[in-house]
Amino acid sequence: MRVETILNKCQKFKSFIYKSVKWGLHDDKPCLEAVIIPRLNSKAICACCHKPASLYDKLTIRRFEFVPLWGYRIFFLYRMRRVDCKQCGVTVEEVPWTTGKHTLTKAYMKFLSDWAKKISWLEAARSFKTSWRKVFTSVKYVVEYGLKYRDFSNVESIGVDEIAIQKGHKYLTVVYQIDKYCLPI
Ligand SMILES: [Zn+2]
């Protein structure tokens, strides 16, 4: 099976395709490099207003780190396009695998932040041969995303407790939802 097939199975994009996957080097260690190109006839999307816009030019190739495979780091290589948006002017396009100036893909940030819930951030960084800073960036991204899209519409009852976390007077306020359907059966 080709690596492109595996990538298409776990991270398929509507308007982009994996052109090729080759061995590369990152920090003098072998890694996998997946070259991504826009799908034929797909229009670039303006990152500001999220609408299709006409092509302005292409920038240099950027690398975006994806979830490692068999212990090898994977990088998406893509030449970002700039668009000339009628509404926003010249802006960089929006791509589905990352956001803003991140060098990590959304999938990898989610992956690292999931591990950061189970083990220490330093252990997570060491386990996946990355840096503490990248784990921190991932947690920050996921928390900001969660805060942006949080939905309290189904919360009717909450409970509030204060628990002591260390000797002395250090307390933590715990807020939890106690609606009937949240209770264990
Ligand atoms: Zn726009």
Side-chain angles (χ1 to χ4, degrees):
M1 188 188 287
R2 294 163 71 215
V3 181
E4 290 91 320
T5 312
I6 298 171
L7 287 171
N8 270 318
K9 183 81 182 163
C10 59
Q11 184 79 97
K12 195 179 170 79
F13 305 115
K14 203 173 136 223
S15 306
F16 301 87
I17 54 167
Y18 298 105
K19 187 174 166 248
S20 59
V21 181
K22 288 185 200 141
W23 285 107
L25 274 180
H26 190 85
D27 293 338
D28 289 332
K29 303 228 170 65
C31 67
L32 290 167
E33 293 177 340
V35 175
I36 294 181
I37 55 167
R39 205 177 280 278
L40 212 64
N41 300 327
S42 71
K43 266 207 143 185
I45 306 289
C46 168
C48 292
C49 64
H50 315 292
K51 287 181 189 146
S54 51
L55 184 66
Y56 182 73
D57 64 0
K58 285 186 171 186
L59 302 172
T60 50
I61 290 178
R62 273 178 64 187
R63 296 166 73 86
F64 305 90
E65 192 167 0
F66 188 58
V67 183
L69 189 63
W70 303 304
Y72 290 105
R73 295 170 85 175
I74 300 190
F75 293 89
F76 291 168
L77 271 54
Y78 180 67
R79 232 179 132 185
M80 299 288 284
R81 295 171 288 179
R82 283 201 299 176
V83 294
D84 189 3
C85 176
K86 281 183 189 147
Q87 213 175 306
C88 320
V90 176
T91 59
V92 178
E93 71 173 314
E94 179 177 85
V95 289
W97 57 85
T98 194
T99 174
K101 290 191 164 53
H102 284 296
T103 54
L104 307 179
T105 57
K106 290 179 192 172
Y108 192 35
M109 289 194 277
K110 175 77 172 55
F111 176 87
L112 284 177
S113 71
D114 280 349
W115 276 102
K117 279 192 267 180
K118 300 177 192 122
I119 54 179
S120 79
W121 294 9
L122 195 59
E123 274 176 275
R126 282 181 183 150
S127 304
F128 301 104
K129 301 184 185 92
T130 188
S131 63
W132 182 92
R133 172 63 52 182
K134 284 184 181 171
V135 177
F136 167 79
T137 304
S138 302
V139 173
K140 188 167 178 277
Y141 163 75
V142 170
V143 168
E144 281 171 359
Y145 182 91
L147 289 175
K148 193 173 169 192
Y149 295 100
R150 70 180 157 187
D151 179 11
F152 291 143
S153 58
N154 67 342
V155 181
E156 288 179 1
S157 317
I158 56 165
V160 181
D161 263 346
E162 202 156 69
I163 55 167
I165 52 166
Q166 279 172 0
K167 278 182 186 168
H169 293 283
K170 283 215 165 178
Y171 300 98
L172 203 65
T173 305
V174 185
V175 182
Y176 41 92
Q177 190 180 358
I178 51 169
D179 287 312
K180 223 177 190 177
Y181 57 84
C182 296
L183 300 172
I185 301 163

